[in-house]
Amino acid sequence: IQGRSFAPLLEGGNYTPRDAIFGEITYHDYYDPRRSIRTATHKLILNFTTAPFYMDPSQSWRPRADTVVPENHATAYHGHVELYDLVNDPWELENLASADAHQALQADLMARLRTHLESLSDPILRGAVTPPHHRAALAQLGVELA
């Protein structure tokens, strides 16, 4: 976890909040790698797979709550890039990634996200991130990954 102390703020000292935070997920119930950057006004999400748009949080065969957007979550998938205006669309209902008016902002956020991922040597930059179970299964076959 990357972070920094805000103890100076608690002790009455100076503290400058970050101008952006970064998020990541690789696995939850299934392989669904995403990386993101969030500023005070916008969020950009980069999706590395075509995982379903909606994950049922109830973990049951019948959702206990149906989503409004997308209308048919069972057949909806995330695009490669999602860009949301958090000021005018706090529920993140309108993906602005394909809007011409937001291309400069999208390019800036994408460059900042890339710089962050490179600074961490994020393994997603080298290809798909396989789970430990994959390596164990290969070992059963007598195959060892380099």
Side-chain angles (χ1 to χ4, degrees):
I1 298 175
Q2 306 81 40
R4 67 178 188 196
S5 175
F6 59 88
L9 177 64
L10 300 175
E11 297 166 353
N14 291 333
Y15 176 78
T16 303
R18 295 177 186 261
D19 65 343
I21 58 171
F22 298 90
E24 66 180 70
I25 183 174
T26 302
Y27 289 92
H28 185 59
D29 284 353
Y30 47 81
Y31 185 62
D32 185 16
R34 303 174 192 197
R35 303 297 187 264
S36 64
I37 178 173
R38 185 191 192 282
T39 67
T41 58
H42 291 86
K43 182 194 294 180
L44 179 130
I45 303 168
L46 186 59
N47 296 293
F48 289 84
T49 66
T50 55
F53 187 84
Y54 172 79
M55 182 184 292
D56 174 18
S58 71
Q59 306 296 306
S60 67
W61 68 272
R62 174 70 180 121
R64 289 177 174 78
D66 287 329
T67 61
V68 176
V69 174
E71 188 172 317
N72 184 356
H73 60 265
T75 60
Y77 296 89
H78 290 282
H80 294 294
V81 179
E82 296 174 71
L83 176 64
Y84 298 103
D85 179 336
L86 302 175
V87 174
N88 297 309
D89 180 21
W91 292 101
E92 301 176 16
L93 299 177
E94 183 182 0
N95 183 358
L96 303 173
S98 62
D100 289 339
H102 295 86
Q103 292 308 300
L105 172 65
Q106 182 173 321
D108 174 61
L109 293 174
M110 194 69 74
R112 292 172 67 185
L113 179 59
R114 178 180 175 168
T115 298
H116 175 74
L117 297 178
E118 289 173 343
S119 75
L120 299 175
S121 298
D122 190 316
I124 199 75
L125 297 175
R126 295 186 304 273
V129 179
T130 58
H133 195 84
H134 183 130
R135 189 176 299 272
L138 288 175
Q140 295 297 315
L141 287 170
V143 175
E144 187 175 324
L145 292 177

